[in-house]
Amino acid sequence: MGGKRSNILGRVAWLAIWAGVAGAPAALWAQSYDNPGLGEKPVAAHPQDFKPLGIRTGAFMLHPGVELAGEWTDNLFFSDSDEESDLIYHLRPYLTAQSNWSRHSLTVRLAADVARHDDYSFRDYEDYFLNIGGRFDVKSSTSLNYHADYMNLHEGLNVRSSEQGLEPTDYSLAAGGIGLDHQFNRLSVGLTYDHSNYDFDDTRGFDDEVIDNQDRDRDDDRLGLRLGYQFKTDMQAFVAANWSQVDFQQDLDRNDLNRNSDAYTLQAGVRFGITGVLSGDVFVSYHDASFDDPTLPGVDGWAAGMGLVWQPTQLTTVRGSISSDVQQTTNRFSSGYLGTVYSLRVDHELRRNLQLSAQVSFRDNDYETIAGAPPDARQNDEIWTAGLGATWFLNRSLFVSASYEYNELSSNVPGDGFDVNRVWLVLGLEK
């Protein structure tokens, strides 16, 4: 029932969806955050006639809300054998405060996910989130964006590239960033900087020994540059370069390896839009990551990418994406992996107050193994996710959601795969 677990690549954009979208399966938000690219969940956005009105307080609109959710799973420990089912109860309060200024903007979000298991209480957890983000309109063609985030989260058992224990591994993430966007007629320039700090707690292993996670504490700095050229009214060519540096607070990890790294990503592509029908971008990427320890091989490779939104009718939206990323691991036989994600999602408004969703995604993780690694060392993981969902909006404040999700992992590691079925029921109230 144990296993390995992936490192987390911090992303905070999903929190905006969490605080402002109805009907998402409860703890899966945190798992999407922990495992970027595993696919979106069956979530329906408020239709225009059922959007919460909010509470006006001076220059801000407040949107308080709470969700009560029940989750049933047939494989709580994501195990290939000895599958155990459980019922999990979630309490998820949240509050969004959004400015209504004529210039500039500021949004503050507070949220929590408190989960209690019916049978296996040692898997209980409490996640808390704070996100502050906004924009300064310096000039009509220049804007300055910023964000600051603090989260207390937990790791699940569904991905395998770091050691997990009997109880959830808790960690905190403190992050902040700034970005500058400027438009020179047809040419646009974007510059971003982000910093993240990860602090992991120790946990109790399945053999009742303490798992020391202090070697996972780290700082992550990222710098990005994007240039775009509008060569047609609805088409823009772009190139982008991103550099990142990971600095672990301990010189050596539990396997006496120095996992500090430098990486860069190059992209080139085209962004386009056909009003009301099709919009998005297509691009090609090259990733390269190198590590300070000479025994750790670099991770590099080419990947195609896209993000498309197609509206075949006014009631149906189809979203497709291909993305890739390089992630680190504390696996003793691997330096990291290149992950590529393919996802497809369909949302359909069956009735004005009844929305249906379906999604499927596939993630391929290719690991770089060290010289002399045994044949059963982790080399490739393939992860499938699929789901269906429905959300019924009773009025502007009250909704009910039901969804089903299937997860499957296939790995070259003997006996390390799993398949999991989950069912969710959610009752939500938002002002």
Side-chain angles (χ1 to χ4, degrees):
M1 295 189 300
K4 302 290 182 179
R5 174 81 170 73
S6 74
N7 243 11
I8 304 128
L9 177 63
R11 292 292 185 267
V12 296
W14 66 270
L15 187 57
I17 300 174
W18 195 60
V21 172
L28 298 190
W29 284 313
Q31 295 191 8
S32 293
Y33 178 86
D34 293 349
N35 305 294
L38 284 185
E40 298 180 6
K41 309 305 172 188
V43 181
H46 286 279
Q48 188 63 39
D49 295 343
F50 293 89
K51 285 186 178 294
L53 297 176
I55 303 170
R56 184 179 296 275
T57 56
F60 285 85
M61 291 297 298
L62 300 182
H63 289 276
V66 64
E67 296 181 6
L68 303 175
E71 169 198 0
W72 177 85
T73 175
D74 66 350
N75 191 355
L76 178 67
F77 299 99
F78 295 89
S79 175
D80 184 53
S81 59
D82 300 325
E83 298 180 1
E84 298 290 342
S85 62
D86 204 355
L87 183 61
I88 308 161
Y89 305 96
H90 297 264
L91 173 64
R92 301 183 298 173
Y94 58 88
L95 173 65
T96 302
Q98 189 166 10
S99 66
N100 52 19
W101 307 329
S102 59
R103 295 182 70 243
H104 317 305
S105 68
L106 173 63
T107 302
V108 179
R109 296 182 177 91
L110 293 167
D113 182 7
V114 180
R116 293 293 180 265
H117 293 67
D118 193 40
D119 292 328
Y120 298 94
S121 59
F122 56 83
R123 295 300 301 176
D124 292 349
Y125 62 84
E126 300 89 29
D127 291 343
Y128 302 96
F129 319 88
L130 167 64
N131 169 245
I132 301 172
R135 184 191 73 253
F136 286 113
D137 298 316
V138 182
K139 293 182 179 180
S140 59
S141 59
T142 307
S143 62
L144 185 68
N145 305 292
Y146 61 91
H147 72 90
D149 314 283
Y150 184 81
M151 305 182 185
N152 282 310
L153 302 172
H154 79 286
E155 290 188 312
L157 296 170
N158 50 328
V159 184
R160 303 297 218 242
S161 45
S162 59
E163 188 175 2
Q164 291 300 297
L166 187 66
E167 299 170 344
T169 299
D170 296 322
Y171 67 95
S172 64
L173 168 61
I178 191 169
L180 179 66
D181 293 298
H182 185 75
Q183 186 78 34
F184 298 94
N185 196 6
R186 290 176 176 266
L187 179 66
S188 63
V189 179
L191 183 65
T192 60
Y193 170 74
D194 290 276
H195 174 80
S196 303
N197 173 266
Y198 298 85
D199 188 358
F200 290 83
D201 293 344
D202 298 340
T203 189
R204 184 162 54 97
F206 286 90
D207 55 5
D208 209 34
E209 294 183 359
V210 174
I211 299 175
D212 185 353
N213 286 313
Q214 302 312 300
D215 60 348
R216 301 179 63 191
D217 296 346
R218 67 185 188 272
D219 292 289
D220 189 342
D221 291 280
R222 298 176 180 271
L223 184 65
L225 174 65
R226 185 184 187 279
L227 301 177
Y229 182 75
Q230 198 85 21
F231 63 93
K232 287 186 177 182
T233 303
D234 55 358
M235 299 191 75
Q236 180 193 70
F238 67 87
V239 294
N242 296 278
W243 170 84
S244 65
Q245 182 180 65
V246 178
D247 184 14
F248 285 83
Q249 295 182 14
Q250 289 188 187
D251 293 336
L252 300 176
D253 70 358
R254 66 196 70 186
N255 300 307
D256 293 325
L257 296 172
N258 183 348
R259 293 190 176 271
N260 292 344
S261 66
D262 292 276
Y264 68 86
T265 298
L266 303 177
Q267 288 184 346
V270 176
R271 174 169 294 177
F272 60 91
I274 303 174
T275 304
V277 180
L278 181 66
S279 62
D281 51 25
V282 293
F283 54 90
V284 62
S285 300
Y286 178 75
H287 303 275
D288 187 283
S290 59
F291 299 83
D292 288 0
D293 198 306
T295 64
L296 293 175
V299 181
D300 58 70
W302 290 90
M306 73 170 190
L308 302 178
V309 178
W310 175 42
Q311 292 183 286
T313 73
Q314 292 184 346
L315 301 179
T316 304
T317 302
V318 181
R319 296 178 176 88
S321 68
I322 302 174
S323 61
S324 56
D325 54 26
V326 173
Q327 295 217 31
Q328 298 206 2
T329 173
T330 53
N331 189 303
R332 61 177 299 190
F333 298 118
S334 174
S335 57
Y337 63 88
L338 176 63
T340 304
V341 185
Y342 310 84
S343 67
L344 180 67
R345 175 186 173 88
V346 180
D347 292 285
H348 178 70
E349 189 176 293
L350 186 63
R351 299 181 62 180
R352 218 34 218 148
N353 66 335
L354 179 59
Q355 296 193 3
L356 307 179
S357 300
Q359 60 88 18
V360 61
S361 69
F362 171 72
R363 181 176 181 107
D364 182 40
N365 294 338
D366 284 323
Y367 289 77
E368 288 290 341
T369 55
I370 64 175
D376 60 352
R378 191 173 303 278
Q379 301 175 26
N380 179 260
D381 288 339
E382 295 181 348
I383 305 162
W384 284 96
T385 302
L388 299 170
T391 303
W392 179 31
F393 298 93
L394 285 76
N395 51 48
R396 289 185 179 271
S397 298
L398 190 64
F399 64 86
V400 178
S401 173
S403 62
Y404 163 78
E405 185 182 73
Y406 174 77
N407 293 271
E408 179 184 297
L409 169 68
S410 299
S411 176
N412 72 291
V413 179
D416 199 40
F418 62 72
D419 58 84
V420 181
N421 295 281
R422 295 176 179 177
V423 178
W424 291 83
L425 291 176
V426 180
L427 174 64
L429 176 65
E430 180 175 341
K431 181 62 179 177

